[in-house]
Amino acid sequence: MLARYYMFIRSGWSVTEGTQDVFDSTRQAFLKSLPDVPEASHTQLKTKTFAELATQISPEGQI
């Protein structure tokens, strides 16, 4: 959902450095809050761009 929201914001406005920082720190907080996630999935969630995640992640959270 965060990745899709990021893409929505980016489609209508420019993403400033400060806005990018907020999205990046929110992603980090989200990753820390996840229950046991397979290492491969965690790595993908951490390293893929928001654009990649927005198109590759299923509504159920599968990458």
Side-chain angles (χ1 to χ4, degrees):
M1 186 177 287
L2 179 65
R4 290 181 181 151
Y5 182 59
Y6 176 88
M7 295 307 295
F8 169 76
I9 295 296
R10 195 175 99 176
S11 72
W13 301 273
S14 57
V15 176
T16 65
E17 185 177 334
T19 301
Q20 185 69 48
D21 289 345
V22 169
F23 274 96
D24 291 339
S25 63
T26 301
R27 180 201 319 228
Q28 294 306 317
F30 176 72
L31 288 172
K32 288 179 185 178
S33 73
L34 291 176
D36 296 329
V37 175
E39 184 64 31
S41 294
H42 188 271
T43 298
Q44 289 183 48
L45 290 170
K46 185 176 181 180
T47 60
K48 286 186 181 271
T49 66
F50 287 116
E52 292 170 321
L53 288 172
T55 59
Q56 296 175 5
I57 197 165
S58 74
E60 294 79 25
Q62 301 297 319
I63 300 172

